[in-house]
Amino acid sequence: MDFDLSWVLWGLPIAFVLGWLASRLDLRQLRIENRQAPKAYFRGLNFLLNEQQDQAIDAFIEAVQKDPDTSELHFALGNLFRRRGEYERAVRVHEHLLSRGDLSRADRHRAQHALALDFLKAGLLDRAEEALRKLEGTAYESQALLALLAIYERTRDWGQASEIAKKLDASGHGTFTARLAHYLCEQAAAAPPEKAEQLLREAIKIAPAAARPGIELAALQRRAGDAAGALDTLSRLAHSAPASIPLVSKALTEAALATGQQAQAMEILLTSYELSPSLDVLEGIVALEPDATVAREWYVKHLEREPSLVAATKWLAGEKLEHEQFHPHVQSALDHAVKPLTRYRCAACGFEAKQHFWQCPGCQAWDSYPARRVEEL
């Protein structure tokens, strides 16, 4: 059979023309898509910069619909939903990302972390915990561990919190020994006396410079009637945690009076007062001073060193005024005026309280309350 070359001569130009038309159509479609998607994306960014979050979300949704494979748009949209408190929509976005088979390993970890944050912000702590646990061994592991630590502290699961704190301490993300000591003290508060003493001594061993374990061990000993043991524990605090003496001056004074060891306690209080005059230490010194006249003179000595309305009020309580009938009213007014000055204040958030806290009720920070009253700060 003869092959007709004329078909080849006719076919080549036709194939060339068809190929050229197909390429032009592809390029045209690509240009249209490239014009549409970035336009919606940049419009969304513009709305976001102008704090118009509703319009930004609409623009990003439009961009995602036109280019559903763009993971960055999904992350931006999910973060916007979370910032607006629309946690259910944020969860859907990040779960959709995780369901994609073409997502890179790094983006998958990023989406898992974002999903955990969605659950955390929504208050779904059990689901947040499950999502955070899946980040072990990823670039987000340290952030996940810190988030887990916050969850366990919030739910007061001190055993789990201790495990996470040990992991963070071992991984070199700071020292968590003081935090571990607090967790042991929290467990001791709910334990029977023998177990509580064991936990508190373990806390002292873990964090010798921490004040709380020694203070709570001394309180446990006093409740058990062991005033001598309490005095010994508090005396050791003067060397291991001298800044805590204002917090234990009352307990130290009571233990000293119960055991007849006033001289030992007075020496500790005087040393602390000379280093840093404190109203609580001053009260301990006054309580241990056998001579009432000399004891009242301590308030005047304090006023010579530190201007203090609290000390002045206490000194005035023992004085006789010219118009004696007005003294109770004046004293009552002064006592009322100094109450705010005797509070403790969190150094992290400024939350004030009548009592000293180891963990701030306001911001949840640990060891943020100085051992000094508001007037002394």
Side-chain angles (χ1 to χ4, degrees), residues 61 248 295 339:
I61 289 174
V248 301
K339 275 184 179 179

Side-chain angles (χ1 to χ4, degrees), residues 117-319:
L117 292 180
D118 296 338
F119 291 139
L120 198 59
K121 291 289 185 179
L124 303 172
L125 301 185
D126 53 342
R127 299 184 69 180
E129 179 186 0
E130 182 183 353
L132 289 166
R133 289 285 186 182
K134 293 178 181 178
L135 291 167
E136 186 175 354
T138 71
Y140 297 92
E141 182 176 13
S142 60
Q143 297 176 48
L145 288 174
L146 288 170
L148 282 170
L149 192 64
I151 289 174
Y152 294 137
E153 286 184 359
R154 185 173 170 182
T155 57
R156 303 185 69 79
D157 188 343
W158 305 117
Q160 291 274 32
S162 296
E163 289 183 18
I164 298 297
K166 287 175 183 176
K167 286 184 179 180
L168 284 165
D169 196 70
S171 61
H173 290 93
T175 175
F176 285 81
T177 52
R179 194 79 68 93
L180 282 166
H182 280 301
Y183 298 158
L184 289 169
C185 291
E186 293 287 347
Q187 293 176 70
E194 290 140 3
K195 179 63 175 177
E197 182 176 352
Q198 180 185 346
L199 290 167
L200 291 171
R201 291 194 182 280
E202 184 183 347
I204 292 172
K205 185 177 179 181
I206 289 174
R212 184 183 182 183
I215 292 173
E216 297 198 358
L217 177 60
L220 185 68
Q221 291 168 325
R222 286 176 59 213
R223 288 196 296 271
D226 185 7
L231 180 62
D232 183 56
T233 300
L234 294 173
S235 299
R236 286 199 296 270
L237 277 176
H239 302 286
S240 61
S244 68
I245 296 303
L247 295 176
V248 301
S249 59
K250 183 177 180 181
L252 182 67
T253 301
E254 291 174 354
L257 290 171
T259 58
Q261 300 292 326
Q262 291 94 323
Q264 179 184 346
M266 181 66 93
E267 183 182 356
I268 293 170
L269 293 174
L270 287 173
T271 301
S272 175
Y273 186 84
E274 287 303 316
L275 290 173
S276 179
S278 162
L279 290 169
D280 290 296
V281 173
L282 174 65
E283 284 300 300
I285 293 171
V286 170
L288 289 175
E289 178 57 58
D291 189 330
T293 304
V294 175
R296 292 196 67 253
E297 288 175 358
W298 270 100
Y299 292 122
V300 179
K301 291 179 182 178
H302 185 80
L303 289 170
E304 290 173 354
R305 294 185 62 169
E306 302 281 342
S308 169
L309 184 59
V310 176
T313 301
K314 290 182 178 294
W315 174 82
L316 191 62
E319 285 296 299

